PDB file of all heavy atoms in Angstrom:
ATOM      1  N   GLU A  26      -0.426 -22.468  -5.877  1.00 95.00           N
ATOM      2  CA  GLU A  26      -1.175 -22.837  -4.680  1.00 95.00           C
ATOM      3  C   GLU A  26      -0.410 -22.278  -3.486  1.00 95.00           C
ATOM      4  O   GLU A  26       0.756 -22.580  -3.282  1.00 95.00           O
ATOM      5  CB  GLU A  26      -1.289 -24.352  -4.577  1.00 95.00           C
ATOM      6  CG  GLU A  26      -2.095 -24.817  -3.400  1.00 95.00           C
ATOM      7  CD  GLU A  26      -2.221 -26.328  -3.361  1.00 95.00           C
ATOM      8  OE1 GLU A  26      -2.565 -26.926  -4.399  1.00 95.00           O
ATOM      9  OE2 GLU A  26      -1.970 -26.894  -2.281  1.00 95.00           O
ATOM     10  N   VAL A  27      -1.084 -21.434  -2.705  1.00 95.00           N
ATOM     11  CA  VAL A  27      -0.443 -20.686  -1.629  1.00 95.00           C
ATOM     12  C   VAL A  27      -1.181 -20.962  -0.319  1.00 95.00           C
ATOM     13  O   VAL A  27      -2.418 -20.914  -0.295  1.00 95.00           O
ATOM     14  CB  VAL A  27      -0.492 -19.166  -1.943  1.00 95.00           C
ATOM     15  CG1 VAL A  27       0.220 -18.366  -0.882  1.00 95.00           C
ATOM     16  CG2 VAL A  27       0.076 -18.877  -3.321  1.00 95.00           C
ATOM     17  N   PRO A  28      -0.458 -21.228   0.775  1.00 95.00           N
ATOM     18  CA  PRO A  28      -1.155 -21.410   2.065  1.00 95.00           C
ATOM     19  C   PRO A  28      -1.915 -20.142   2.448  1.00 95.00           C
ATOM     20  O   PRO A  28      -1.341 -19.060   2.574  1.00 95.00           O
ATOM     21  CB  PRO A  28      -0.021 -21.698   3.052  1.00 95.00           C
ATOM     22  CG  PRO A  28       1.120 -22.168   2.202  1.00 95.00           C
ATOM     23  CD  PRO A  28       0.982 -21.443   0.892  1.00 95.00           C
ATOM     24  N   VAL A  29      -3.217 -20.280   2.626  1.00 94.00           N
ATOM     25  CA  VAL A  29      -4.068 -19.126   2.889  1.00 94.00           C
ATOM     26  C   VAL A  29      -3.681 -18.425   4.190  1.00 94.00           C
ATOM     27  O   VAL A  29      -3.753 -17.188   4.277  1.00 94.00           O
ATOM     28  CB  VAL A  29      -5.558 -19.525   2.851  1.00 94.00           C
ATOM     29  CG1 VAL A  29      -5.969 -20.296   4.074  1.00 94.00           C
ATOM     30  CG2 VAL A  29      -6.439 -18.305   2.675  1.00 94.00           C
ATOM     31  N   GLN A  30      -3.256 -19.162   5.197  1.00 94.00           N
ATOM     32  CA  GLN A  30      -2.891 -18.547   6.477  1.00 94.00           C
ATOM     33  C   GLN A  30      -1.687 -17.625   6.338  1.00 94.00           C
ATOM     34  O   GLN A  30      -1.604 -16.604   7.027  1.00 94.00           O
ATOM     35  CB  GLN A  30      -2.642 -19.615   7.548  1.00 94.00           C
ATOM     36  CG  GLN A  30      -3.900 -20.331   7.985  1.00 94.00           C
ATOM     37  CD  GLN A  30      -4.949 -19.374   8.552  1.00 94.00           C
ATOM     38  OE1 GLN A  30      -4.673 -18.291   9.056  1.00 94.00           O
ATOM     39  NE2 GLN A  30      -6.204 -19.782   8.456  1.00 94.00           N
ATOM     40  N   ASP A  31      -0.739 -17.969   5.441  1.00 96.00           N
ATOM     41  CA  ASP A  31       0.427 -17.112   5.234  1.00 96.00           C
ATOM     42  C   ASP A  31       0.030 -15.778   4.605  1.00 96.00           C
ATOM     43  O   ASP A  31       0.512 -14.715   5.010  1.00 96.00           O
ATOM     44  CB  ASP A  31       1.467 -17.814   4.360  1.00 96.00           C
ATOM     45  CG  ASP A  31       2.121 -18.997   5.050  1.00 96.00           C
ATOM     46  OD1 ASP A  31       2.026 -19.109   6.296  1.00 96.00           O
ATOM     47  OD2 ASP A  31       2.743 -19.812   4.343  1.00 96.00           O
ATOM     48  N   VAL A  32      -0.851 -15.841   3.627  1.00 96.00           N
ATOM     49  CA  VAL A  32      -1.311 -14.609   2.976  1.00 96.00           C
ATOM     50  C   VAL A  32      -2.124 -13.777   3.961  1.00 96.00           C
ATOM     51  O   VAL A  32      -1.966 -12.559   4.049  1.00 96.00           O
ATOM     52  CB  VAL A  32      -2.123 -14.925   1.706  1.00 96.00           C
ATOM     53  CG1 VAL A  32      -2.707 -13.649   1.107  1.00 96.00           C
ATOM     54  CG2 VAL A  32      -1.262 -15.654   0.692  1.00 96.00           C
ATOM     55  N   LYS A  33      -2.977 -14.437   4.716  1.00 95.00           N
ATOM     56  CA  LYS A  33      -3.804 -13.733   5.697  1.00 95.00           C
ATOM     57  C   LYS A  33      -2.930 -13.026   6.744  1.00 95.00           C
ATOM     58  O   LYS A  33      -3.164 -11.853   7.063  1.00 95.00           O
ATOM     59  CB  LYS A  33      -4.756 -14.719   6.370  1.00 95.00           C
ATOM     60  CG  LYS A  33      -5.767 -14.079   7.259  1.00 95.00           C
ATOM     61  CD  LYS A  33      -6.749 -15.112   7.793  1.00 95.00           C
ATOM     62  CE  LYS A  33      -7.822 -14.430   8.600  1.00 95.00           C
ATOM     63  NZ  LYS A  33      -8.801 -15.381   9.131  1.00 95.00           N
ATOM     64  N   ALA A  34      -1.924 -13.709   7.266  1.00 96.00           N
ATOM     65  CA  ALA A  34      -1.028 -13.103   8.260  1.00 96.00           C
ATOM     66  C   ALA A  34      -0.262 -11.923   7.664  1.00 96.00           C
ATOM     67  O   ALA A  34      -0.101 -10.881   8.310  1.00 96.00           O
ATOM     68  CB  ALA A  34      -0.056 -14.151   8.804  1.00 96.00           C
ATOM     69  N   PHE A  35       0.202 -12.076   6.433  1.00 97.00           N
ATOM     70  CA  PHE A  35       0.910 -10.994   5.756  1.00 97.00           C
ATOM     71  C   PHE A  35       0.005  -9.774   5.610  1.00 97.00           C
ATOM     72  O   PHE A  35       0.396  -8.649   5.947  1.00 97.00           O
ATOM     73  CB  PHE A  35       1.410 -11.456   4.386  1.00 97.00           C
ATOM     74  CG  PHE A  35       2.009 -10.355   3.565  1.00 97.00           C
ATOM     75  CD1 PHE A  35       3.286  -9.904   3.820  1.00 97.00           C
ATOM     76  CD2 PHE A  35       1.282  -9.751   2.548  1.00 97.00           C
ATOM     77  CE1 PHE A  35       3.835  -8.868   3.065  1.00 97.00           C
ATOM     78  CE2 PHE A  35       1.812  -8.726   1.801  1.00 97.00           C
ATOM     79  CZ  PHE A  35       3.102  -8.280   2.062  1.00 97.00           C
ATOM     80  N   LEU A  36      -1.218  -9.985   5.125  1.00 97.00           N
ATOM     81  CA  LEU A  36      -2.138  -8.864   4.932  1.00 97.00           C
ATOM     82  C   LEU A  36      -2.509  -8.202   6.251  1.00 97.00           C
ATOM     83  O   LEU A  36      -2.640  -6.972   6.315  1.00 97.00           O
ATOM     84  CB  LEU A  36      -3.384  -9.316   4.183  1.00 97.00           C
ATOM     85  CG  LEU A  36      -3.160  -9.648   2.703  1.00 97.00           C
ATOM     86  CD1 LEU A  36      -4.416 -10.261   2.100  1.00 97.00           C
ATOM     87  CD2 LEU A  36      -2.713  -8.424   1.928  1.00 97.00           C
ATOM     88  N   GLU A  37      -2.666  -8.979   7.309  1.00 97.00           N
ATOM     89  CA  GLU A  37      -2.946  -8.387   8.627  1.00 97.00           C
ATOM     90  C   GLU A  37      -1.800  -7.481   9.069  1.00 97.00           C
ATOM     91  O   GLU A  37      -2.030  -6.411   9.638  1.00 97.00           O
ATOM     92  CB  GLU A  37      -3.200  -9.490   9.652  1.00 97.00           C
ATOM     93  CG  GLU A  37      -4.548 -10.167   9.473  1.00 97.00           C
ATOM     94  CD  GLU A  37      -4.729 -11.410  10.345  1.00 97.00           C
ATOM     95  OE1 GLU A  37      -3.774 -11.830  11.040  1.00 97.00           O
ATOM     96  OE2 GLU A  37      -5.848 -11.964  10.330  1.00 97.00           O
ATOM     97  N   SER A  38      -0.563  -7.884   8.782  1.00 96.00           N
ATOM     98  CA  SER A  38       0.589  -7.043   9.126  1.00 96.00           C
ATOM     99  C   SER A  38       0.597  -5.756   8.320  1.00 96.00           C
ATOM    100  O   SER A  38       0.931  -4.690   8.843  1.00 96.00           O
ATOM    101  CB  SER A  38       1.891  -7.807   8.892  1.00 96.00           C
ATOM    102  OG  SER A  38       1.980  -8.912   9.756  1.00 96.00           O
ATOM    103  N   THR A  39       0.212  -5.828   7.033  1.00 96.00           N
ATOM    104  CA  THR A  39       0.185  -4.610   6.219  1.00 96.00           C
ATOM    105  C   THR A  39      -0.913  -3.670   6.690  1.00 96.00           C
ATOM    106  O   THR A  39      -0.727  -2.457   6.728  1.00 96.00           O
ATOM    107  CB  THR A  39      -0.009  -4.912   4.716  1.00 96.00           C
ATOM    108  OG1 THR A  39      -1.328  -5.379   4.458  1.00 96.00           O
ATOM    109  CG2 THR A  39       1.016  -5.902   4.216  1.00 96.00           C
ATOM    110  N   GLU A  40      -2.061  -4.260   7.065  1.00 95.00           N
ATOM    111  CA  GLU A  40      -3.188  -3.430   7.501  1.00 95.00           C
ATOM    112  C   GLU A  40      -2.960  -2.825   8.881  1.00 95.00           C
ATOM    113  O   GLU A  40      -3.560  -1.795   9.208  1.00 95.00           O
ATOM    114  CB  GLU A  40      -4.475  -4.232   7.435  1.00 95.00           C
ATOM    115  CG  GLU A  40      -4.882  -4.511   5.990  1.00 95.00           C
ATOM    116  CD  GLU A  40      -6.122  -5.362   5.844  1.00 95.00           C
ATOM    117  OE1 GLU A  40      -6.925  -5.438   6.794  1.00 95.00           O
ATOM    118  OE2 GLU A  40      -6.289  -5.962   4.761  1.00 95.00           O
ATOM    119  N   ALA A  41      -2.068  -3.412   9.673  1.00 94.00           N
ATOM    120  CA  ALA A  41      -1.701  -2.804  10.953  1.00 94.00           C
ATOM    121  C   ALA A  41      -0.912  -1.515  10.705  1.00 94.00           C
ATOM    122  O   ALA A  41      -1.000  -0.574  11.494  1.00 94.00           O
ATOM    123  CB  ALA A  41      -0.884  -3.784  11.792  1.00 94.00           C
ATOM    124  N   LEU A  42      -0.157  -1.469   9.606  1.00 91.00           N
ATOM    125  CA  LEU A  42       0.596  -0.255   9.253  1.00 91.00           C
ATOM    126  C   LEU A  42      -0.271   0.750   8.514  1.00 91.00           C
ATOM    127  O   LEU A  42      -0.235   1.950   8.796  1.00 91.00           O
ATOM    128  CB  LEU A  42       1.792  -0.610   8.368  1.00 91.00           C
ATOM    129  CG  LEU A  42       2.934  -1.350   9.005  1.00 91.00           C
ATOM    130  CD1 LEU A  42       4.006  -1.635   7.961  1.00 91.00           C
ATOM    131  CD2 LEU A  42       3.527  -0.553  10.152  1.00 91.00           C
ATOM    132  N   VAL A  43      -1.003   0.267   7.530  1.00 91.00           N
ATOM    133  CA  VAL A  43      -1.833   1.129   6.690  1.00 91.00           C
ATOM    134  C   VAL A  43      -3.206   0.451   6.566  1.00 91.00           C
ATOM    135  O   VAL A  43      -3.383  -0.454   5.757  1.00 91.00           O
ATOM    136  CB  VAL A  43      -1.216   1.332   5.289  1.00 91.00           C
ATOM    137  CG1 VAL A  43      -2.116   2.230   4.435  1.00 91.00           C
ATOM    138  CG2 VAL A  43       0.186   1.913   5.381  1.00 91.00           C
ATOM    139  N   PRO A  44      -4.173   0.869   7.382  1.00 90.00           N
ATOM    140  CA  PRO A  44      -5.508   0.262   7.286  1.00 90.00           C
ATOM    141  C   PRO A  44      -6.108   0.487   5.900  1.00 90.00           C
ATOM    142  O   PRO A  44      -5.872   1.525   5.261  1.00 90.00           O
ATOM    143  CB  PRO A  44      -6.312   1.005   8.353  1.00 90.00           C
ATOM    144  CG  PRO A  44      -5.284   1.513   9.318  1.00 90.00           C
ATOM    145  CD  PRO A  44      -4.076   1.832   8.486  1.00 90.00           C
ATOM    146  N   ARG A  45      -6.876  -0.503   5.427  1.00 87.00           N
ATOM    147  CA  ARG A  45      -7.552  -0.348   4.140  1.00 87.00           C
ATOM    148  C   ARG A  45      -8.442   0.885   4.201  1.00 87.00           C
ATOM    149  O   ARG A  45      -9.100   1.150   5.184  1.00 87.00           O
ATOM    150  CB  ARG A  45      -8.381  -1.585   3.831  1.00 87.00           C
ATOM    151  CG  ARG A  45      -7.515  -2.748   3.353  1.00 87.00           C
ATOM    152  CD  ARG A  45      -8.314  -3.969   3.068  1.00 87.00           C
ATOM    153  NE  ARG A  45      -8.925  -3.883   1.736  1.00 87.00           N
ATOM    154  CZ  ARG A  45      -9.649  -4.859   1.210  1.00 87.00           C
ATOM    155  NH1 ARG A  45      -9.868  -5.974   1.884  1.00 87.00           N
ATOM    156  NH2 ARG A  45     -10.169  -4.721   0.015  1.00 87.00           N
ATOM    157  N   GLY A  46      -8.400   1.651   3.126  1.00 79.00           N
ATOM    158  CA  GLY A  46      -9.178   2.879   3.051  1.00 79.00           C
ATOM    159  C   GLY A  46      -8.379   4.125   3.397  1.00 79.00           C
ATOM    160  O   GLY A  46      -8.829   5.232   3.152  1.00 79.00           O
ATOM    161  N   THR A  47      -7.172   3.950   3.981  1.00 78.00           N
ATOM    162  CA  THR A  47      -6.341   5.106   4.343  1.00 78.00           C
ATOM    163  C   THR A  47      -5.097   5.223   3.469  1.00 78.00           C
ATOM    164  O   THR A  47      -4.219   6.038   3.758  1.00 78.00           O
ATOM    165  CB  THR A  47      -5.903   5.034   5.823  1.00 78.00           C
ATOM    166  OG1 THR A  47      -4.994   3.938   5.989  1.00 78.00           O
ATOM    167  CG2 THR A  47      -7.107   4.877   6.749  1.00 78.00           C
ATOM    168  N   GLU A  48      -5.018   4.428   2.410  1.00 82.00           N
ATOM    169  CA  GLU A  48      -3.805   4.362   1.591  1.00 82.00           C
ATOM    170  C   GLU A  48      -3.383   5.722   1.026  1.00 82.00           C
ATOM    171  O   GLU A  48      -2.200   6.058   1.039  1.00 82.00           O
ATOM    172  CB  GLU A  48      -3.993   3.372   0.429  1.00 82.00           C
ATOM    173  CG  GLU A  48      -4.116   1.936   0.848  1.00 82.00           C
ATOM    174  CD  GLU A  48      -5.549   1.488   1.100  1.00 82.00           C
ATOM    175  OE1 GLU A  48      -6.461   2.351   1.162  1.00 82.00           O
ATOM    176  OE2 GLU A  48      -5.761   0.276   1.230  1.00 82.00           O
ATOM    177  N   SER A  49      -4.333   6.508   0.539  1.00 75.00           N
ATOM    178  CA  SER A  49      -3.971   7.775  -0.120  1.00 75.00           C
ATOM    179  C   SER A  49      -3.274   8.738   0.819  1.00 75.00           C
ATOM    180  O   SER A  49      -2.500   9.591   0.373  1.00 75.00           O
ATOM    181  CB  SER A  49      -5.202   8.423  -0.738  1.00 75.00           C
ATOM    182  OG  SER A  49      -6.112   8.822   0.265  1.00 75.00           O
ATOM    183  N   GLY A  50      -3.497   8.621   2.106  1.00 76.00           N
ATOM    184  CA  GLY A  50      -2.821   9.481   3.070  1.00 76.00           C
ATOM    185  C   GLY A  50      -1.352   9.145   3.267  1.00 76.00           C
ATOM    186  O   GLY A  50      -0.621   9.898   3.905  1.00 76.00           O
ATOM    187  N   HIS A  51      -0.883   8.029   2.683  1.00 76.00           N
ATOM    188  CA  HIS A  51       0.511   7.601   2.830  1.00 76.00           C
ATOM    189  C   HIS A  51       1.330   7.848   1.567  1.00 76.00           C
ATOM    190  O   HIS A  51       2.488   7.469   1.504  1.00 76.00           O
ATOM    191  CB  HIS A  51       0.569   6.116   3.206  1.00 76.00           C
ATOM    192  CG  HIS A  51      -0.015   5.859   4.556  1.00 76.00           C
ATOM    193  ND1 HIS A  51       0.716   5.945   5.710  1.00 76.00           N
ATOM    194  CD2 HIS A  51      -1.271   5.549   4.932  1.00 76.00           C
ATOM    195  CE1 HIS A  51      -0.069   5.681   6.740  1.00 76.00           C
ATOM    196  NE2 HIS A  51      -1.283   5.441   6.298  1.00 76.00           N
ATOM    197  N   ILE A  52       0.720   8.474   0.582  1.00 73.00           N
ATOM    198  CA  ILE A  52       1.419   8.754  -0.671  1.00 73.00           C
ATOM    199  C   ILE A  52       1.987  10.168  -0.617  1.00 73.00           C
ATOM    200  O   ILE A  52       1.315  11.109  -0.205  1.00 73.00           O
ATOM    201  CB  ILE A  52       0.458   8.604  -1.871  1.00 73.00           C
ATOM    202  CG1 ILE A  52       0.004   7.144  -1.975  1.00 73.00           C
ATOM    203  CG2 ILE A  52       1.115   9.071  -3.161  1.00 73.00           C
ATOM    204  CD1 ILE A  52      -1.052   6.900  -3.022  1.00 73.00           C
ATOM    205  N   ASP A  53       3.229  10.307  -1.049  1.00 75.00           N
ATOM    206  CA  ASP A  53       3.866  11.625  -1.154  1.00 75.00           C
ATOM    207  C   ASP A  53       3.429  12.210  -2.499  1.00 75.00           C
ATOM    208  O   ASP A  53       4.061  11.973  -3.535  1.00 75.00           O
ATOM    209  CB  ASP A  53       5.388  11.487  -1.074  1.00 75.00           C
ATOM    210  CG  ASP A  53       6.103  12.819  -1.102  1.00 75.00           C
ATOM    211  OD1 ASP A  53       5.502  13.835  -1.532  1.00 75.00           O
ATOM    212  OD2 ASP A  53       7.281  12.859  -0.690  1.00 75.00           O
ATOM    213  N   TRP A  54       2.330  12.965  -2.494  1.00 75.00           N
ATOM    214  CA  TRP A  54       1.748  13.472  -3.729  1.00 75.00           C
ATOM    215  C   TRP A  54       2.661  14.462  -4.441  1.00 75.00           C
ATOM    216  O   TRP A  54       2.688  14.513  -5.680  1.00 75.00           O
ATOM    217  CB  TRP A  54       0.376  14.081  -3.458  1.00 75.00           C
ATOM    218  CG  TRP A  54      -0.619  13.033  -3.069  1.00 75.00           C
ATOM    219  CD1 TRP A  54      -1.151  12.805  -1.836  1.00 75.00           C
ATOM    220  CD2 TRP A  54      -1.184  12.030  -3.915  1.00 75.00           C
ATOM    221  NE1 TRP A  54      -2.008  11.727  -1.855  1.00 75.00           N
ATOM    222  CE2 TRP A  54      -2.051  11.231  -3.129  1.00 75.00           C
ATOM    223  CE3 TRP A  54      -1.044  11.712  -5.266  1.00 75.00           C
ATOM    224  CZ2 TRP A  54      -2.762  10.149  -3.644  1.00 75.00           C
ATOM    225  CZ3 TRP A  54      -1.770  10.633  -5.780  1.00 75.00           C
ATOM    226  CH2 TRP A  54      -2.610   9.877  -4.974  1.00 75.00           C
ATOM    227  N   ASP A  55       3.431  15.247  -3.694  1.00 76.00           N
ATOM    228  CA  ASP A  55       4.360  16.184  -4.331  1.00 76.00           C
ATOM    229  C   ASP A  55       5.412  15.424  -5.138  1.00 76.00           C
ATOM    230  O   ASP A  55       5.735  15.797  -6.271  1.00 76.00           O
ATOM    231  CB  ASP A  55       5.037  17.075  -3.285  1.00 76.00           C
ATOM    232  CG  ASP A  55       4.069  18.047  -2.640  1.00 76.00           C
ATOM    233  OD1 ASP A  55       3.059  18.410  -3.289  1.00 76.00           O
ATOM    234  OD2 ASP A  55       4.322  18.437  -1.475  1.00 76.00           O
ATOM    235  N   LEU A  56       5.937  14.341  -4.573  1.00 72.00           N
ATOM    236  CA  LEU A  56       6.918  13.518  -5.272  1.00 72.00           C
ATOM    237  C   LEU A  56       6.293  12.848  -6.491  1.00 72.00           C
ATOM    238  O   LEU A  56       6.903  12.806  -7.573  1.00 72.00           O
ATOM    239  CB  LEU A  56       7.504  12.458  -4.322  1.00 72.00           C
ATOM    240  CG  LEU A  56       8.509  11.498  -4.930  1.00 72.00           C
ATOM    241  CD1 LEU A  56       9.735  12.251  -5.440  1.00 72.00           C
ATOM    242  CD2 LEU A  56       8.905  10.443  -3.905  1.00 72.00           C
ATOM    243  N   GLU A  57       5.078  12.349  -6.357  1.00 67.00           N
ATOM    244  CA  GLU A  57       4.391  11.706  -7.483  1.00 67.00           C
ATOM    245  C   GLU A  57       4.180  12.696  -8.630  1.00 67.00           C
ATOM    246  O   GLU A  57       4.389  12.351  -9.792  1.00 67.00           O
ATOM    247  CB  GLU A  57       3.062  11.101  -7.039  1.00 67.00           C
ATOM    248  CG  GLU A  57       3.195   9.931  -6.092  1.00 67.00           C
ATOM    249  CD  GLU A  57       3.927   8.748  -6.687  1.00 67.00           C
ATOM    250  OE1 GLU A  57       3.750   8.466  -7.898  1.00 67.00           O
ATOM    251  OE2 GLU A  57       4.684   8.111  -5.949  1.00 67.00           O
ATOM    252  N   LEU A  58       3.753  13.908  -8.300  1.00 76.00           N
ATOM    253  CA  LEU A  58       3.560  14.932  -9.331  1.00 76.00           C
ATOM    254  C   LEU A  58       4.877  15.310  -9.990  1.00 76.00           C
ATOM    255  O   LEU A  58       4.950  15.472 -11.213  1.00 76.00           O
ATOM    256  CB  LEU A  58       2.880  16.168  -8.761  1.00 76.00           C
ATOM    257  CG  LEU A  58       1.383  16.022  -8.507  1.00 76.00           C
ATOM    258  CD1 LEU A  58       0.856  17.240  -7.739  1.00 76.00           C
ATOM    259  CD2 LEU A  58       0.645  15.860  -9.814  1.00 76.00           C
ATOM    260  N   ALA A  59       5.921  15.450  -9.196  1.00 80.00           N
ATOM    261  CA  ALA A  59       7.239  15.777  -9.753  1.00 80.00           C
ATOM    262  C   ALA A  59       7.701  14.680 -10.714  1.00 80.00           C
ATOM    263  O   ALA A  59       8.227  14.976 -11.793  1.00 80.00           O
ATOM    264  CB  ALA A  59       8.251  15.965  -8.626  1.00 80.00           C
ATOM    265  N   ASN A  60       7.494  13.414 -10.356  1.00 73.00           N
ATOM    266  CA  ASN A  60       7.861  12.310 -11.242  1.00 73.00           C
ATOM    267  C   ASN A  60       7.023  12.306 -12.513  1.00 73.00           C
ATOM    268  O   ASN A  60       7.540  12.041 -13.588  1.00 73.00           O
ATOM    269  CB  ASN A  60       7.714  10.963 -10.511  1.00 73.00           C
ATOM    270  CG  ASN A  60       8.785  10.746  -9.470  1.00 73.00           C
ATOM    271  OD1 ASN A  60       9.876  11.294  -9.557  1.00 73.00           O
ATOM    272  ND2 ASN A  60       8.465   9.938  -8.479  1.00 73.00           N
ATOM    273  N   LEU A  61       5.762  12.607 -12.372  1.00 77.00           N
ATOM    274  CA  LEU A  61       4.875  12.638 -13.527  1.00 77.00           C
ATOM    275  C   LEU A  61       5.308  13.710 -14.524  1.00 77.00           C
ATOM    276  O   LEU A  61       5.410  13.462 -15.724  1.00 77.00           O
ATOM    277  CB  LEU A  61       3.437  12.889 -13.074  1.00 77.00           C
ATOM    278  CG  LEU A  61       2.374  12.932 -14.156  1.00 77.00           C
ATOM    279  CD1 LEU A  61       2.232  11.589 -14.835  1.00 77.00           C
ATOM    280  CD2 LEU A  61       1.046  13.368 -13.564  1.00 77.00           C
ATOM    281  N   PHE A  62       5.599  14.911 -14.028  1.00 83.00           N
ATOM    282  CA  PHE A  62       6.008  16.005 -14.902  1.00 83.00           C
ATOM    283  C   PHE A  62       7.404  15.790 -15.455  1.00 83.00           C
ATOM    284  O   PHE A  62       7.700  16.188 -16.585  1.00 83.00           O
ATOM    285  CB  PHE A  62       5.901  17.344 -14.193  1.00 83.00           C
ATOM    286  CG  PHE A  62       4.479  17.766 -13.944  1.00 83.00           C
ATOM    287  CD1 PHE A  62       4.052  18.130 -12.677  1.00 83.00           C
ATOM    288  CD2 PHE A  62       3.547  17.797 -14.972  1.00 83.00           C
ATOM    289  CE1 PHE A  62       2.733  18.510 -12.447  1.00 83.00           C
ATOM    290  CE2 PHE A  62       2.230  18.176 -14.761  1.00 83.00           C
ATOM    291  CZ  PHE A  62       1.833  18.533 -13.490  1.00 83.00           C
ATOM    292  N   ALA A  63       8.276  15.148 -14.711  1.00 83.00           N
ATOM    293  CA  ALA A  63       9.633  14.885 -15.189  1.00 83.00           C
ATOM    294  C   ALA A  63       9.639  13.858 -16.327  1.00 83.00           C
ATOM    295  O   ALA A  63      10.496  13.920 -17.202  1.00 83.00           O
ATOM    296  CB  ALA A  63      10.515  14.380 -14.044  1.00 83.00           C
ATOM    297  N   ASN A  64       8.669  12.960 -16.327  1.00 70.00           N
ATOM    298  CA  ASN A  64       8.620  11.918 -17.361  1.00 70.00           C
ATOM    299  C   ASN A  64       7.737  12.305 -18.541  1.00 70.00           C
ATOM    300  O   ASN A  64       7.497  11.489 -19.419  1.00 70.00           O
ATOM    301  CB  ASN A  64       8.144  10.594 -16.736  1.00 70.00           C
ATOM    302  CG  ASN A  64       9.149  10.052 -15.756  1.00 70.00           C
ATOM    303  OD1 ASN A  64      10.350  10.182 -15.954  1.00 70.00           O
ATOM    304  ND2 ASN A  64       8.661   9.446 -14.686  1.00 70.00           N
TER     305      ASN A  64
END
């Protein structure tokens, strides 16, 4: 059982940095590909 206001405030802070729908623009795709091929 989690206070809803705490989760809401946390998510608002995350969305101020990375709005929903823009997540893929914050991923380092070159690094992800390098990790994928290395493993």
Side-chain angles (χ1 to χ4, degrees):
E26 182 178 311
V27 183
V29 74
Q30 290 301 335
D31 292 343
V32 175
K33 188 175 184 180
F35 173 78
L36 289 172
E37 287 171 355
S38 296
T39 70
E40 290 177 21
L42 290 179
V43 180
R45 283 179 81 177
T47 68
E48 293 91 349
S49 66
H51 294 273
I52 296 174
D53 183 341
W54 292 107
D55 291 333
L56 178 62
E57 293 298 323
L58 284 171
N60 288 334
L61 181 65
F62 290 127
N64 293 324

